[in-house]
Structure formats: C-alpha cells, structure tokens
Amino acid sequence: MKKFLKAAAGVLLAVCLVTGIAGCSEFDLAGEGTAYGVVGSYVGFITVRTDAEGKVTNVIIDEMQTPEHWAEISAFDEADDGDFFAATKPDAKRWAKKIVIGGKVFEAIGTAEGVYPDYRLAEYNNGVGLLEWLRSGLNAKWYVEQMKLGNYGVSKAAGGVNNEYKNPNELSLGDRWLKSKNGYWAPGYGLGWKANIEAIQNYLMQNGFADKGIAVRGEDKVWTINGTATGATINACNEYINLAQIAYGIATTQVSE
C-alpha cells in the first residue's frame, strides 16, 4: 500500500504541498497533504489530514473557477466594450480578448461568437489552452495562489487590469471565484455543490482509501464505491476522489518516514 501511495504522489496531474505536525510523542504525529489539479473544467485543491496510523481525520475540498466565469462581460459591474469580443446576438456571451493572471498575459485562442475561447500564454504563439496548461499540478497550484491573492482580471486595451466584478456576497477579490464562498450551484436543482462535496468528504473520512475502487453511478444518480454509497451525485465524483488519493498518499508517506 505504501509503495502505491508513494507512486501516486508522483502523478503529474497534481502537485502536493506537504506540511507536518509533530507533537510530544510518536503517537501525536500527523500528516497533511494538499493536491492541486483540474476537476471537470475547474481547478480543484484538496487537503487530506491523517493520524500516525494513516487514518483519515479530515478532508477539505474546494475549487477555483476559471476565466470561463470571470472573463465574461456579464461578470463585471463596468467594462470597456472594446476589451471583449463583439456579438451580433443580444443574449450571446462575450469573453475578454486578453486576461492577466499573476502578471502573466493570456490571450484568447478562439473567436467564435458566444463560445468560450480558452486562453493561452501570450508569450507562446503555439501554447496550449489554459485548461490544458493547468493540468500540470505546479501550474494549478500557481493559479489558485494567484487567484486567492486577487492577482487576476481582464487586460484593458487602455492599460491596466479590470477586476471590478459584480459581488452580491461582498466577498474579497481572492474569495470571489471560490466555490465554497460564492454560492455556486445552490441546492434546489439537485443536491447543490456544498452538499455533494460534504458527502464526498464524509465518505472519505469514514471509509478512507484502503480499499478504493472506481465510483459507479446508480439509477438514482448516487455514486457507489465497492457497494458503499458515497451520497454524492456530482458528475466529477471520481475526479475528486482521485485528487484526494494523491493528497492522502503524500500525507501518509510523510508520517511513515
């Protein structure tokens, strides 16, 4: 099991940031691992904490939204029309021509009306799209950190960055696009985001990773692993669990060393 966990830690899908907590005896030792990676079309980051025996004591799942959400003109209180692609249909979505994250300029790849264009680093003419770029755990970690610092927005042709977003929940710029903070997918149409995430967290804390299998979705839309219902119905259930497994692998490897 330990060999598998150490191998999982090297998966390029996510990078794990490890910290340790040491008490006054070997029984107080605990491990903690945080993994970053793409989940669906968002950037997930999951922290798993364990005790000295490798038992899961806490799981924290969160996600940062991507420019598909924060680079669209309707997200802003005020915006310069020329910084966004034109649209002939009044209800068509309009995304920014360029965005800035952590001082790096990303330019739109596509220009089809009403279609999310994706973005690539402007310094690379043949660079991959942002979502693909974020599949590197290091890049995903950097993205989350920059977003949390509020270092993002639409690049203005007149100079500077526009990050004057509509903010009904009066969140900080760093929290504005965190799913755990901004009310993403409220309950009503299905369980909602928070209830799904809590179900996955609870499942992992109760069952751990010792006998991990692939989650299978039933007719009731609930995901089940090895005959045990997770309680979650969210589409990306397996992706959350896979990312959590990497974080767990780092946490337990640390404790065993």
PDB file of all heavy atoms in Angstrom, residues 21-43:
ATOM      1  N   ILE A  21       2.831  18.028  11.225  1.00  0.00           N
ATOM      2  CA  ILE A  21       2.505  18.490  12.561  1.00  0.00           C
ATOM      3  C   ILE A  21       3.088  17.484  13.536  1.00  0.00           C
ATOM      4  O   ILE A  21       2.739  16.313  13.503  1.00  0.00           O
ATOM      5  CB  ILE A  21       0.987  18.593  12.770  1.00  0.00           C
ATOM      6  CG1 ILE A  21       0.378  19.480  11.677  1.00  0.00           C
ATOM      7  CG2 ILE A  21       0.663  19.120  14.160  1.00  0.00           C
ATOM      8  CD1 ILE A  21      -1.125  19.439  11.666  1.00  0.00           C
ATOM      9  N   ALA A  22       3.978  17.900  14.408  1.00  0.00           N
ATOM     10  CA  ALA A  22       4.591  16.983  15.354  1.00  0.00           C
ATOM     11  C   ALA A  22       4.237  17.386  16.765  1.00  0.00           C
ATOM     12  O   ALA A  22       4.333  18.547  17.143  1.00  0.00           O
ATOM     13  CB  ALA A  22       6.109  16.986  15.178  1.00  0.00           C
ATOM     14  N   GLY A  23       3.842  16.389  17.569  1.00  0.00           N
ATOM     15  CA  GLY A  23       3.510  16.654  18.958  1.00  0.00           C
ATOM     16  C   GLY A  23       4.629  16.195  19.866  1.00  0.00           C
ATOM     17  O   GLY A  23       5.786  16.128  19.470  1.00  0.00           O
ATOM     18  N   CYS A  24       4.278  15.792  21.083  1.00  0.00           N
ATOM     19  CA  CYS A  24       5.305  15.464  22.058  1.00  0.00           C
ATOM     20  C   CYS A  24       5.681  13.993  22.037  1.00  0.00           C
ATOM     21  O   CYS A  24       6.593  13.585  22.751  1.00  0.00           O
ATOM     22  CB  CYS A  24       4.842  15.865  23.466  1.00  0.00           C
ATOM     23  SG  CYS A  24       3.282  15.080  23.933  1.00  0.00           S
ATOM     24  N   SER A  25       4.981  13.157  21.267  1.00  0.00           N
ATOM     25  CA  SER A  25       5.348  11.746  21.178  1.00  0.00           C
ATOM     26  C   SER A  25       5.029  11.239  19.789  1.00  0.00           C
ATOM     27  O   SER A  25       4.372  11.902  18.999  1.00  0.00           O
ATOM     28  CB  SER A  25       4.564  10.933  22.207  1.00  0.00           C
ATOM     29  OG  SER A  25       3.210  10.791  21.800  1.00  0.00           O
ATOM     30  N   GLU A  26       5.484  10.016  19.514  1.00  0.00           N
ATOM     31  CA  GLU A  26       5.254   9.455  18.180  1.00  0.00           C
ATOM     32  C   GLU A  26       3.771   9.272  17.889  1.00  0.00           C
ATOM     33  O   GLU A  26       3.337   9.269  16.742  1.00  0.00           O
ATOM     34  CB  GLU A  26       5.969   8.103  18.042  1.00  0.00           C
ATOM     35  CG  GLU A  26       5.474   7.049  19.018  1.00  0.00           C
ATOM     36  CD  GLU A  26       6.195   5.728  18.823  1.00  0.00           C
ATOM     37  OE1 GLU A  26       6.620   5.468  17.689  1.00  0.00           O
ATOM     38  OE2 GLU A  26       6.335   4.975  19.792  1.00  0.00           O
ATOM     39  N   PHE A  27       2.952   9.149  18.924  1.00  0.00           N
ATOM     40  CA  PHE A  27       1.524   8.968  18.715  1.00  0.00           C
ATOM     41  C   PHE A  27       0.834  10.272  18.332  1.00  0.00           C
ATOM     42  O   PHE A  27      -0.315  10.283  17.954  1.00  0.00           O
ATOM     43  CB  PHE A  27       0.898   8.386  19.982  1.00  0.00           C
ATOM     44  CG  PHE A  27       1.458   7.037  20.335  1.00  0.00           C
ATOM     45  CD1 PHE A  27       2.377   6.900  21.369  1.00  0.00           C
ATOM     46  CD2 PHE A  27       1.114   5.914  19.602  1.00  0.00           C
ATOM     47  CE1 PHE A  27       2.905   5.646  21.673  1.00  0.00           C
ATOM     48  CE2 PHE A  27       1.645   4.665  19.905  1.00  0.00           C
ATOM     49  CZ  PHE A  27       2.549   4.534  20.943  1.00  0.00           C
ATOM     50  N   ASP A  28       1.548  11.406  18.484  1.00  0.00           N
ATOM     51  CA  ASP A  28       0.970  12.689  18.125  1.00  0.00           C
ATOM     52  C   ASP A  28       1.265  13.069  16.675  1.00  0.00           C
ATOM     53  O   ASP A  28       0.787  14.078  16.192  1.00  0.00           O
ATOM     54  CB  ASP A  28       1.512  13.803  19.039  1.00  0.00           C
ATOM     55  CG  ASP A  28       1.067  13.602  20.477  1.00  0.00           C
ATOM     56  OD1 ASP A  28      -0.080  13.182  20.670  1.00  0.00           O
ATOM     57  OD2 ASP A  28       1.879  13.853  21.386  1.00  0.00           O
ATOM     58  N   LEU A  29       2.106  12.261  16.016  1.00  0.00           N
ATOM     59  CA  LEU A  29       2.490  12.580  14.657  1.00  0.00           C
ATOM     60  C   LEU A  29       1.273  12.556  13.738  1.00  0.00           C
ATOM     61  O   LEU A  29       0.418  11.681  13.851  1.00  0.00           O
ATOM     62  CB  LEU A  29       3.532  11.585  14.149  1.00  0.00           C
ATOM     63  CG  LEU A  29       4.912  11.647  14.824  1.00  0.00           C
ATOM     64  CD1 LEU A  29       5.778  10.517  14.312  1.00  0.00           C
ATOM     65  CD2 LEU A  29       5.568  12.992  14.554  1.00  0.00           C
ATOM     66  N   ALA A  30       1.223  13.507  12.838  1.00  0.00           N
ATOM     67  CA  ALA A  30       0.122  13.561  11.883  1.00  0.00           C
ATOM     68  C   ALA A  30       0.679  13.993  10.533  1.00  0.00           C
ATOM     69  O   ALA A  30       1.739  14.598  10.448  1.00  0.00           O
ATOM     70  CB  ALA A  30      -0.947  14.542  12.366  1.00  0.00           C
ATOM     71  N   GLY A  31      -0.038  13.656   9.489  1.00  0.00           N
ATOM     72  CA  GLY A  31       0.380  14.040   8.152  1.00  0.00           C
ATOM     73  C   GLY A  31      -0.664  14.909   7.480  1.00  0.00           C
ATOM     74  O   GLY A  31      -1.852  14.837   7.807  1.00  0.00           O
ATOM     75  N   GLU A  32      -0.206  15.712   6.548  1.00  0.00           N
ATOM     76  CA  GLU A  32      -1.118  16.562   5.785  1.00  0.00           C
ATOM     77  C   GLU A  32      -0.594  16.709   4.365  1.00  0.00           C
ATOM     78  O   GLU A  32       0.592  16.975   4.155  1.00  0.00           O
ATOM     79  CB  GLU A  32      -1.232  17.933   6.437  1.00  0.00           C
ATOM     80  CG  GLU A  32      -2.137  18.903   5.668  1.00  0.00           C
ATOM     81  CD  GLU A  32      -2.287  20.239   6.370  1.00  0.00           C
ATOM     82  OE1 GLU A  32      -2.693  20.245   7.547  1.00  0.00           O
ATOM     83  OE2 GLU A  32      -1.980  21.268   5.732  1.00  0.00           O
ATOM     84  N   GLY A  33      -1.450  16.534   3.403  1.00  0.00           N
ATOM     85  CA  GLY A  33      -1.076  16.724   2.007  1.00  0.00           C
ATOM     86  C   GLY A  33      -2.139  17.510   1.271  1.00  0.00           C
ATOM     87  O   GLY A  33      -3.331  17.315   1.529  1.00  0.00           O
ATOM     88  N   THR A  34      -1.725  18.400   0.383  1.00  0.00           N
ATOM     89  CA  THR A  34      -2.660  19.159  -0.447  1.00  0.00           C
ATOM     90  C   THR A  34      -2.322  18.936  -1.912  1.00  0.00           C
ATOM     91  O   THR A  34      -1.174  19.110  -2.313  1.00  0.00           O
ATOM     92  CB  THR A  34      -2.610  20.664  -0.119  1.00  0.00           C
ATOM     93  OG1 THR A  34      -2.936  20.869   1.252  1.00  0.00           O
ATOM     94  CG2 THR A  34      -3.599  21.435  -0.988  1.00  0.00           C
ATOM     95  N   ALA A  35      -3.297  18.536  -2.683  1.00  0.00           N
ATOM     96  CA  ALA A  35      -3.106  18.253  -4.105  1.00  0.00           C
ATOM     97  C   ALA A  35      -3.905  19.238  -4.944  1.00  0.00           C
ATOM     98  O   ALA A  35      -5.029  19.605  -4.582  1.00  0.00           O
ATOM     99  CB  ALA A  35      -3.543  16.824  -4.419  1.00  0.00           C
ATOM    100  N   TYR A  36      -3.323  19.667  -6.064  1.00  0.00           N
ATOM    101  CA  TYR A  36      -3.945  20.606  -6.978  1.00  0.00           C
ATOM    102  C   TYR A  36      -4.090  19.960  -8.348  1.00  0.00           C
ATOM    103  O   TYR A  36      -3.169  19.311  -8.834  1.00  0.00           O
ATOM    104  CB  TYR A  36      -3.088  21.871  -7.129  1.00  0.00           C
ATOM    105  CG  TYR A  36      -2.875  22.663  -5.863  1.00  0.00           C
ATOM    106  CD1 TYR A  36      -1.919  22.260  -4.921  1.00  0.00           C
ATOM    107  CD2 TYR A  36      -3.615  23.805  -5.607  1.00  0.00           C
ATOM    108  CE1 TYR A  36      -1.710  22.988  -3.758  1.00  0.00           C
ATOM    109  CE2 TYR A  36      -3.413  24.540  -4.438  1.00  0.00           C
ATOM    110  CZ  TYR A  36      -2.466  24.119  -3.524  1.00  0.00           C
ATOM    111  OH  TYR A  36      -2.268  24.836  -2.369  1.00  0.00           O
ATOM    112  N   GLY A  37      -5.223  20.172  -9.001  1.00  0.00           N
ATOM    113  CA  GLY A  37      -5.400  19.625 -10.343  1.00  0.00           C
ATOM    114  C   GLY A  37      -6.729  20.040 -10.951  1.00  0.00           C
ATOM    115  O   GLY A  37      -7.597  20.599 -10.280  1.00  0.00           O
ATOM    116  N   VAL A  38      -6.890  19.769 -12.222  1.00  0.00           N
ATOM    117  CA  VAL A  38      -8.121  20.086 -12.942  1.00  0.00           C
ATOM    118  C   VAL A  38      -9.202  19.073 -12.565  1.00  0.00           C
ATOM    119  O   VAL A  38      -8.980  17.861 -12.602  1.00  0.00           O
ATOM    120  CB  VAL A  38      -7.892  20.084 -14.464  1.00  0.00           C
ATOM    121  CG1 VAL A  38      -9.211  20.210 -15.214  1.00  0.00           C
ATOM    122  CG2 VAL A  38      -6.947  21.222 -14.852  1.00  0.00           C
ATOM    123  N   VAL A  39     -10.367  19.580 -12.203  1.00  0.00           N
ATOM    124  CA  VAL A  39     -11.543  18.751 -11.926  1.00  0.00           C
ATOM    125  C   VAL A  39     -12.655  19.272 -12.822  1.00  0.00           C
ATOM    126  O   VAL A  39     -13.147  20.385 -12.640  1.00  0.00           O
ATOM    127  CB  VAL A  39     -11.963  18.839 -10.449  1.00  0.00           C
ATOM    128  CG1 VAL A  39     -13.237  18.045 -10.223  1.00  0.00           C
ATOM    129  CG2 VAL A  39     -10.859  18.324  -9.538  1.00  0.00           C
ATOM    130  N   GLY A  40     -13.050  18.481 -13.805  1.00  0.00           N
ATOM    131  CA  GLY A  40     -14.019  18.969 -14.783  1.00  0.00           C
ATOM    132  C   GLY A  40     -13.410  20.130 -15.546  1.00  0.00           C
ATOM    133  O   GLY A  40     -12.396  19.991 -16.222  1.00  0.00           O
ATOM    134  N   SER A  41     -14.023  21.306 -15.429  1.00  0.00           N
ATOM    135  CA  SER A  41     -13.465  22.496 -16.083  1.00  0.00           C
ATOM    136  C   SER A  41     -13.078  23.546 -15.033  1.00  0.00           C
ATOM    137  O   SER A  41     -13.070  24.737 -15.316  1.00  0.00           O
ATOM    138  CB  SER A  41     -14.488  23.085 -17.067  1.00  0.00           C
ATOM    139  OG  SER A  41     -15.703  23.406 -16.397  1.00  0.00           O
ATOM    140  N   TYR A  42     -12.747  23.066 -13.832  1.00  0.00           N
ATOM    141  CA  TYR A  42     -12.354  23.942 -12.736  1.00  0.00           C
ATOM    142  C   TYR A  42     -11.017  23.480 -12.176  1.00  0.00           C
ATOM    143  O   TYR A  42     -10.508  22.421 -12.545  1.00  0.00           O
ATOM    144  CB  TYR A  42     -13.413  23.923 -11.634  1.00  0.00           C
ATOM    145  CG  TYR A  42     -14.797  24.256 -12.132  1.00  0.00           C
ATOM    146  CD1 TYR A  42     -15.695  23.245 -12.492  1.00  0.00           C
ATOM    147  CD2 TYR A  42     -15.211  25.580 -12.282  1.00  0.00           C
ATOM    148  CE1 TYR A  42     -16.962  23.542 -12.975  1.00  0.00           C
ATOM    149  CE2 TYR A  42     -16.477  25.881 -12.764  1.00  0.00           C
ATOM    150  CZ  TYR A  42     -17.342  24.868 -13.109  1.00  0.00           C
ATOM    151  OH  TYR A  42     -18.590  25.173 -13.593  1.00  0.00           O
ATOM    152  N   VAL A  43     -10.464  24.265 -11.253  1.00  0.00           N
ATOM    153  CA  VAL A  43      -9.208  23.877 -10.626  1.00  0.00           C
ATOM    154  C   VAL A  43      -9.501  23.488  -9.176  1.00  0.00           C
ATOM    155  O   VAL A  43      -9.869  24.328  -8.354  1.00  0.00           O
ATOM    156  CB  VAL A  43      -8.178  25.021 -10.673  1.00  0.00           C
ATOM    157  CG1 VAL A  43      -6.860  24.569 -10.039  1.00  0.00           C
ATOM    158  CG2 VAL A  43      -7.927  25.444 -12.120  1.00  0.00           C
TER     159      VAL A  43
END
